[in-house]
Amino acid sequence: MAVELEAEEIRRRAETGRRLKAGIGTLSTAILTRLDQRLPWYRAMPPADRSWVGLVAQSGISSFVEWYRTPSMPIRMVSEIFRAAPRELVRSISLTQTLQLLRVVVEVVEERVPDLARPGEQADLREAVLRFSREVAFAGADVYARAAEARGTWDARLEAMVIDALVRGDAGPELSTRSAALGWRSEGPVAVLLGQAPQRAGRSVEQVREKAGAWAEDCLVGIHDDRLLIVLGGCEDFQQAGEQLGELFGPAPVVLGPQVATLAEAGASARAAHSALRAVAAWPGAPRPVRAEDLLPERALAGDEAARRTLIAEVYHPLAQAGGNLLETVSQYLDCGNSLEATAKAMYVHPNTVRYRLRKVAEVIPYDPTRSRPAFVLRCALVFGRLAAQAPAGELSSSHNPSPGAW
């Protein structure tokens, strides 16, 4: 008797399975129509993506029919449903949207149960639909989890490549292309923050990125050797951001590279920051963070050719071209130990004349010779400017200049 009942159940299930198979086309059409009615984001999708969604839906229905007709088939095979679509579809449709799709599919199938199964089989069919849809949801979640994991791994590698390019001093379109692949969207200025990598346990790159992201539109984070590098893009106040992010670094000095217009030029900011970090020990009283531009004298003395040229171009040449004996006055003032009276006596002018010229100096360049730190910058600029003026063309340019990639 039990064998006869089992045989009858198999026969009924097979009959329902044949009805399901015959109705696959009708179900697919009904599902796509319902998707178009219920889901605005589906209506807005490009035709190619809509076509792939339809293929996935039809694959799901076919898989359900095969499983229902062959109960011995492992239900785990529902993962094959998602293999019908390209990987790009996972980026076009979120997991939430996938579940909305599944809900519509189940809703349509349940409505058609009276047409697909006889009264004695309807309850079993509904239960089978719910069970299968649950497995499809789990399989979909697994697909998205794997895609997110793979994307996270690839993003980490890509970010490491961008940071490595900055370390080497590379720049140009390739850097921008790789950063765009990471999702870099900022069109604002860019600057590099560089310092010792954190020594505290548990400080992950992701935590650093989260804190840095609160101060900039976009950011990239990487650790190279024992140094932490943060690229900030679209920041309203880089100096303030650097001060707030200083806790992310180790106890050593932190340097803020100069602002550049685009991410493609970030290599210049990174080179300046690295040069400044090498030279910052020569200024014990440097703030934290210290701007790379504020370490021009130390960088130039350490062999940074770019810093030497900047001192000549932005300090020495403007004074030499301003006239009014400004260059001579500054030179004499520094040689006289910053004494107005001694400078006036040496130049045979009144102290007020010296005072007036020094004020003019502070208007021509952003350095006040009456203050100690700016006076040091001016003295170094004068030294390098005089050497450049006396040296044969190209001689100083061939002087030692450490490789920007020699971290």
Side-chain angles (χ1 to χ4, degrees):
M1 186 68 178
V3 174
E4 292 179 358
L5 291 175
E6 183 178 353
E8 177 65 17
E9 182 179 352
I10 293 175
R11 187 188 64 78
R12 291 179 179 178
R13 193 179 185 97
E15 175 63 25
T16 302
R18 284 192 293 272
R19 293 190 178 196
L20 286 170
K21 186 174 182 179
I24 286 179
T26 304
L27 280 175
S28 298
T29 301
I31 287 170
L32 293 179
T33 301
R34 186 70 58 84
L35 290 175
D36 194 69
Q37 295 173 347
R38 294 277 297 275
L39 304 178
W41 57 264
Y42 173 78
R43 293 194 298 271
M45 291 180 69
D49 287 346
R50 286 166 59 100
S51 176
W52 281 117
V53 170
L55 183 61
V56 171
Q58 187 170 355
S59 175
I61 295 172
S62 298
S63 297
F64 170 71
V65 171
E66 291 300 318
W67 171 75
Y68 189 82
R69 295 179 66 190
T70 313
S72 60
M73 186 180 74
I75 200 171
R76 294 188 300 273
M77 292 185 65
V78 297
S79 60
E80 299 291 329
I81 295 172
F82 295 95
R83 295 190 181 182
R87 293 183 179 180
E88 290 76 9
L89 192 63
V90 176
R91 299 181 180 180
S92 302
I93 303 177
S94 68
L95 177 58
T96 299
Q97 291 171 334
T98 300
L99 295 178
Q100 291 175 355
L101 285 171
L102 181 59
R103 189 176 295 114
V104 170
V105 171
V106 172
E107 179 182 286
V108 172
V109 175
E110 283 189 321
E111 290 176 358
R112 300 298 178 98
V113 165
D115 300 328
L116 297 172
R118 294 177 179 177
E121 294 294 320
Q122 292 179 7
D124 289 342
L125 181 58
R126 286 194 176 91
E127 182 179 349
V129 169
L130 294 177
R131 182 183 174 192
F132 191 82
S133 64
R134 181 189 64 190
E135 295 298 327
V136 171
F138 287 151
D142 182 66
V143 168
Y144 278 87
R146 290 178 183 273
E149 183 178 0
R151 186 162 57 249
T153 301
W154 170 245
D155 287 352
R157 292 177 181 176
L158 196 58
E159 186 173 29
M161 292 172 65
V162 172
I163 295 299
D164 187 61
L166 292 175
V167 167
R168 295 195 312 268
D170 295 346
E174 184 179 358
L175 185 66
S176 298
T177 301
R178 289 176 175 174
S179 300
L182 281 169
W184 184 280
R185 295 291 182 268
S186 175
E187 297 181 356
V190 177
V192 170
L193 201 60
L194 181 65
Q196 183 184 39
Q199 298 176 341
R200 286 173 291 175
R203 176 73 76 183
S204 67
V205 170
E206 190 59 38
Q207 288 176 315
V208 173
R209 184 181 295 107
E210 181 180 354
K211 289 183 177 294
W215 289 92
E217 295 176 352
D218 276 310
C219 69
L220 297 174
V221 179
I223 295 179
H224 194 278
D225 293 335
D226 63 339
R227 296 180 181 177
L228 171 63
L229 185 147
I230 303 176
V231 183
L232 301 172
C235 187
E236 293 184 2
D237 188 333
F238 285 100
Q239 184 66 31
Q240 182 182 11
E243 293 172 0
Q244 296 298 321
L245 298 177
E247 65 174 19
L248 302 176
F249 295 84
V254 177
V255 173
L256 177 64
Q259 293 184 35
V260 292
T262 65
L263 185 63
E265 304 169 69
S269 182
R271 287 193 297 273
H274 170 58
S275 172
L277 195 62
R278 291 176 57 247
V280 69
W283 185 11
R288 190 177 189 270
V290 58
R291 299 191 315 156
E293 300 100 311
D294 293 338
L295 283 161
L296 287 173
E298 290 81 3
R299 289 166 53 193
L301 291 171
D304 186 341
E305 182 69 16
R308 186 193 69 81
R309 289 196 299 266
T310 301
L311 283 173
I312 295 173
E314 297 184 2
V315 181
Y316 182 82
H317 284 164
L319 288 177
Q321 296 166 3
N325 296 318
L326 295 187
L327 184 62
E328 179 186 0
T329 301
V330 168
S331 177
Q332 193 67 54
Y333 177 74
L334 296 175
D335 289 342
C336 291
N338 295 29
S339 171
L340 288 173
E341 290 75 13
T343 303
K345 183 177 180 180
M347 298 187 69
Y348 302 102
V349 296
H350 193 276
N352 285 342
T353 301
V354 176
R355 187 178 288 107
Y356 169 78
R357 291 177 181 174
L358 294 180
R359 285 201 300 269
K360 292 295 293 182
V361 167
E363 295 174 3
V364 173
I365 57 175
Y367 296 101
D368 183 356
T370 63
R371 300 176 59 190
S372 59
R373 178 66 190 179
F376 173 65
V377 176
L378 284 164
R379 184 176 290 280
C380 291
L382 292 178
V383 170
F384 288 114
R386 290 166 184 158
L387 289 174
Q390 295 299 318
E395 182 174 307
L396 281 180
S397 297
S398 62
S399 62
H400 171 66
N401 184 27
S403 168
W407 289 59

